[in-house]
Amino acid sequence: MSSAKTLRVCEKGHRFYKSSECQSCPTCDKENKPSNGFLSKLSSPARRALVHQGIETLQELSKYTEKEILTFHGIGPASLPILRASLEEEGLSFKK
C-alpha cells in the first residue's frame, strides 16, 4: 500500500492532495465548519463522523453510549471530553 499523495478535486473545484481514501476536501471542511455549537469544537474528522451518523444535536448525541461513539471512524478519545462537557452544559449525558 503506497503513501503517495494523489491530486484530488472536490465538487466545488478545490484542488488538494490526499494519501488516504478519504475524499474530504480541506477547503470545504473549513467553509462548512459551524461557528458555534458543540460541532464547532470538534476536529473535522470527528465532526464529519457524527454528521455522517445523523448526529447534529446534543439530544441526538445523548442517545449513544461513549463506547458506541468511539466506534465511528473519525472519533478518537480526544473528542470524548469535548462531547461530554457539551452534553453536561445542557443537562444531558451519554446513554449508559
Side-chain angles (χ1 to χ4, degrees):
M1 189 158 154
S2 174
S3 63
K5 293 187 176 189
T6 305
L7 177 64
R8 307 203 192 266
V9 180
C10 77
E11 294 174 355
K12 293 184 177 181
H14 302 128
R15 300 166 66 90
F16 60 99
Y17 287 91
K18 283 284 186 167
S19 58
S20 69
E21 290 300 315
C22 178
Q23 298 291 324
S24 178
C25 169
T27 303
C28 288
D29 283 346
K30 288 177 187 171
E31 290 175 356
N32 295 329
K33 183 176 180 175
S35 58
N36 56 31
F38 81 103
L39 290 173
S40 70
K41 300 173 184 175
L42 297 171
S43 67
S44 293
R47 187 171 52 256
R48 282 193 307 269
L50 293 178
V51 171
H52 179 76
Q53 295 293 327
I55 303 170
E56 296 189 41
T57 68
L58 289 169
Q59 289 74 22
E60 292 165 342
L61 180 64
S62 70
K63 296 176 184 175
Y64 293 84
T65 65
E66 289 185 17
K67 188 174 181 178
E68 290 171 324
I69 294 295
L70 283 172
T71 65
F72 301 157
H73 179 77
I75 299 282
S79 300
L80 285 182
I82 297 166
L83 295 173
R84 202 177 297 119
S86 296
L87 286 166
E88 288 172 3
E89 287 173 13
E90 296 298 317
L92 299 168
S93 64
F94 282 108
K95 182 176 152 186
K96 300 291 179 196

